[in-house]
Amino acid sequence: MRGSSSFFSQFSSSALRTKPLGKSSDVIRSNSGEGLVRRLGPFDLTLLGIGASIGAGIFVVTGTVARDAGPGVTISFLLAGASCVLNALCYAELASRFPAVVGGAYLYTYTAFNELTAFLVFTQMMLDYHIGAASIARSLASYVINIFELIPSIKDNIPNWVGHGSDDILGVFSINLLAPVLLVILTIILCRGVGESTLVNTIMTITKVIIVLVVIIVGAFEVDDSNWSPFAPYGFKSILTGATVAFFAYVGFDAIANSAEESKRPQRDLPIGIIGSLLVCVVLYSGVCLVITGMVPYNILGEDAPLAEAFTSKGLNFVSVLISIGAIAGLTTTLLVGLYVQSRLYLGLGRDGLLPAIFAKVHPTRHTPIHSQIWVGIVAFVLAGLLNVTVLSHILSVGSLAGYSVVAACVMTLRWDDSQVSKRMEGITCITVIACCGFVAGILYRYSVSTLADIFLILPVAIAIFAAAGLQFRQVYRDPPGFSCPWVPIVPAVCIFFNIFLFAQLHYEAWVRFVVLSIVAVFVYAFYGQYNANPASDTIYYHRAPEVEA
């Protein structure tokens, strides 16, 4: 009995530990002298964010949402973009405040809340990254095969299991040979160093942005403005529903926060990269939406390749080929950045002891976390080569939404006056109330069948507003060093509410995954993490960067 009591006592004290934050230097030191190299400037970081966000989705998701929202799909993407800008402002403040090391949302949570919550955030976001990487690899393989099939002698002679994926086996397994091969190539590029991977990302990202601009410019001359009327054929609710889908097309800007340790001037460059990349994506998505709905009536857009089909219908076959090339470039950069981010997160947890120390090793000459990178490649290799990722996609996006919500909460808690403990608990209660109200509002919105039912949405929204008012008038906020998110706590509160509102729109399997993975993560932490974690390690120092020179 005493042993059980001792275990839970140690678990509680370990789980509530936080990461200390230094105040002076911008240097990471280790016993081995190994570390990542600061090579990325604002242009590199902006391209990193664009590369992570814009994949084949710009050629597919825009048309898919347009079928449901009509020409109002442009408003859907603008609303989703506005929501992501608010989340990006929160990320930008914390990236500026914690610019010295990798870790992103995990590191912010470790410092603002506690060790267990940080580990939970890591596990939820990492599963999203792993499944997403596998799904993107299979899509990339399919596009590559489509290019080869343009050659008459090869067409219809390539087995499905090579690139498109074999027929389902037991409803879960599906063999794909090319996807793992592509993952091996990208993993080798990432292991060689950030310079090589940045070069590939830069070339691919610039290529796809140019192709998207060509698509917008050429398509603009084929627009028939009568196709934009009615602009919202199914009402505003369909536009809002479209925004919940479009939101995920922007996910990826958080990748920049995980490149903090490789940024030349992180306190200045990270906010520029995060916000700049997102604004570019908003412009590109909006332009594509206007073109595609102006070229072809929204109700006859194709399902699988709506943008390519729209140009083909106008006799512009060369643009359709460009779109396929752009999709390959887009998927390649998205996959490359995704693998890069995952390895940096493993690096952060390896340093802190929450994962085995092998993940913390950095190659002495390549300056890359080579063991973490190989592990990430192996996981993606297995998932992409053997599993039907379409089934797994039902449980995607939970980690991203949860992580974004926690980051928004970190912005507020890290600004509070540490001396007022009772008000801190009151503030955390208000944040929890806002999150709960977002989920309830999302459920009511999702399952409402009449206008009368929508009236009940007013109640959770009103409660959330009162909780936000409590955060505004009951807490004392200090100005942070570096970039400052505007209108705190209102902006973070809106982020939390809308993120959890979207959480409620996900498939129920995603909710089950969230609960089950959280339970598994708690067990892993209880029997490994709490005994090995060392938030105040003597070998790694986490410091704020010095103030940016004027």
Side-chain angles (χ1 to χ4, degrees):
M1 191 74 173
R2 181 175 299 176
S4 175
S5 175
S6 175
F7 172 82
F8 285 109
S9 175
Q10 179 175 343
F11 177 84
S12 298
S13 61
S14 299
L16 296 177
R17 289 183 300 208
T18 59
K19 166 68 67 178
L21 184 65
K23 298 180 180 179
S24 58
S25 175
D26 186 29
V27 179
I28 300 299
R29 291 174 284 174
S30 68
N31 289 338
S32 64
E34 299 172 0
L36 303 180
V37 178
R38 297 193 179 278
R39 295 176 175 171
L40 304 179
F43 182 71
D44 299 313
L45 293 168
T46 301
L47 288 180
L48 188 72
I50 296 172
S53 299
I54 294 186
I58 198 167
F59 306 112
V60 179
V61 175
T62 48
T64 302
V65 178
R67 287 179 63 88
D68 298 323
V73 62
T74 305
I75 305 300
S76 296
F77 272 89
L78 287 174
L79 288 173
S83 173
C84 284
V85 166
L86 297 182
N87 281 287
L89 290 171
C90 295
Y91 258 98
E93 174 173 320
L94 296 181
S96 174
R97 192 166 183 171
F98 295 80
V101 286
V102 297
Y106 154 77
L107 174 62
Y108 310 152
T109 308
Y110 206 163
T111 306
F113 291 103
N114 55 64
E115 191 170 281
L116 178 58
T117 304
F119 188 67
L120 289 171
V121 167
F122 164 79
T123 54
Q124 292 291 348
M125 296 191 77
M126 188 52 63
L127 184 57
D128 267 11
Y129 285 134
H130 282 318
I131 296 174
S135 178
I136 293 168
R138 288 180 76 110
S139 296
L140 177 58
S142 184
Y143 270 100
V144 170
I145 292 299
N146 286 339
I147 293 294
F148 279 111
E149 288 178 340
L150 294 176
I151 303 173
S153 60
I154 296 179
K155 187 177 182 181
D156 300 326
N157 291 321
I158 303 177
N160 283 340
W161 54 266
V162 173
H164 293 300
S166 68
D167 294 336
D168 289 353
I169 304 171
L170 301 177
V172 177
F173 299 101
S174 175
I175 307 301
N176 189 306
L177 183 63
L178 182 58
V181 172
L182 295 173
L183 283 164
V184 169
I185 294 172
L186 293 180
T187 299
I188 291 172
I189 291 173
L190 287 165
C191 287
R192 286 186 60 82
V194 69
E196 289 81 356
S197 58
T198 300
L199 177 62
V200 173
N201 181 67
T202 299
I203 294 172
M204 289 288 192
T205 300
I206 291 176
T207 298
K208 72 180 177 183
V209 169
I210 291 174
I211 289 175
V212 171
L213 290 175
V214 169
V215 166
I216 293 173
I217 293 170
V218 174
F221 290 97
E222 301 293 334
V223 165
D224 180 356
D225 57 12
S226 64
N227 290 328
W228 289 333
S229 181
F231 194 73
Y234 304 117
F236 181 75
K237 186 173 182 178
S238 66
I239 291 177
L240 186 57
T241 301
T244 64
V245 178
F247 179 90
F248 302 109
Y250 291 102
V251 170
F253 59 85
D254 55 312
I256 300 172
N258 289 289
S259 62
E261 198 171 325
E262 292 159 289
S263 171
K264 292 178 180 177
R265 300 184 63 185
Q267 200 164 26
R268 181 200 68 175
D269 296 346
L270 291 174
I272 292 174
I274 291 171
I275 298 174
S277 63
L278 190 54
L279 291 177
V280 171
C281 292
V282 171
V283 172
L284 294 179
Y285 274 121
S286 300
V288 169
C289 289
L290 285 173
V291 165
I292 191 174
T293 54
M295 290 178 64
V296 180
Y298 69 92
N299 56 349
I300 63 171
L301 284 171
E303 290 281 350
D304 298 323
L307 199 56
E309 291 174 17
F311 280 92
T312 301
S313 68
K314 298 290 185 178
L316 300 171
N317 294 326
F318 77 96
V319 179
S320 298
V321 175
L322 280 180
I323 290 172
S324 296
I325 296 172
I328 291 175
L331 286 167
T332 301
T333 57
T334 302
L335 183 56
L336 189 72
V337 175
L339 296 172
Y340 165 90
V341 169
Q342 293 174 57
S343 67
R344 270 57 181 176
L345 282 171
Y346 276 107
L347 171 65
L349 269 83
R351 285 173 170 174
D352 291 335
L354 288 167
L355 290 177
I358 191 172
F359 290 110
K361 293 184 179 297
V362 176
H363 194 278
T365 57
R366 296 292 180 184
H367 300 287
T368 59
I370 194 164
H371 296 95
S372 295
Q373 197 69 72
I374 291 174
W375 166 252
V376 167
I378 291 173
V379 173
F381 183 99
V382 173
L383 292 178
L386 299 178
L387 297 181
N388 180 353
V389 292
T390 302
V391 175
L392 295 178
S393 67
H394 290 166
I395 61 175
L396 267 177
S397 302
V398 172
S400 297
L401 289 172
Y404 289 177
S405 300
V406 173
V407 166
C410 289
V411 169
M412 291 184 279
T413 57
L414 287 171
R415 287 206 195 184
W416 290 342
D417 188 341
D418 294 334
S419 63
Q420 301 184 12
V421 179
S422 61
K423 283 194 173 184
R424 177 181 174 85
M425 294 307 300
E426 180 183 323
I428 292 176
T429 300
C430 288
I431 291 173
T432 304
V433 168
I434 291 172
C436 291
C437 287
F439 186 78
V440 171
I443 292 295
L444 291 174
Y445 174 81
R446 178 176 181 175
Y447 293 107
S448 64
V449 294
S450 66
T451 304
L452 181 63
D454 290 338
I455 296 176
F456 289 102
L457 279 170
I458 297 175
L459 183 59
V461 172
I463 295 174
I465 290 174
F466 277 113
L471 290 171
Q472 174 70 51
F473 298 109
R474 293 284 298 169
Q475 300 294 325
V476 176
Y477 296 89
R478 299 169 297 179
D479 291 331
F483 179 85
S484 176
C485 175
W487 305 309
V488 173
I490 303 305
V491 166
V494 170
C495 288
I496 293 171
F497 184 90
F498 190 67
N499 291 340
I500 303 302
F501 178 91
L502 291 177
F503 185 102
Q505 310 306 310
L506 298 176
H507 197 281
Y508 79 92
E509 291 175 357
W511 304 345
V512 174
R513 160 249 159 123
F514 181 82
V515 174
V516 171
L517 183 59
S518 295
I519 294 173
V520 171
V522 169
F523 272 96
V524 172
Y525 176 79
F527 293 102
Y528 179 86
Q530 69 165 322
Y531 299 111
N532 295 278
N534 185 9
S537 170
D538 292 332
T539 57
I540 299 294
Y541 296 82
Y542 292 80
H543 293 293
R544 292 191 181 99
E547 296 296 324
V548 177
E549 297 178 2

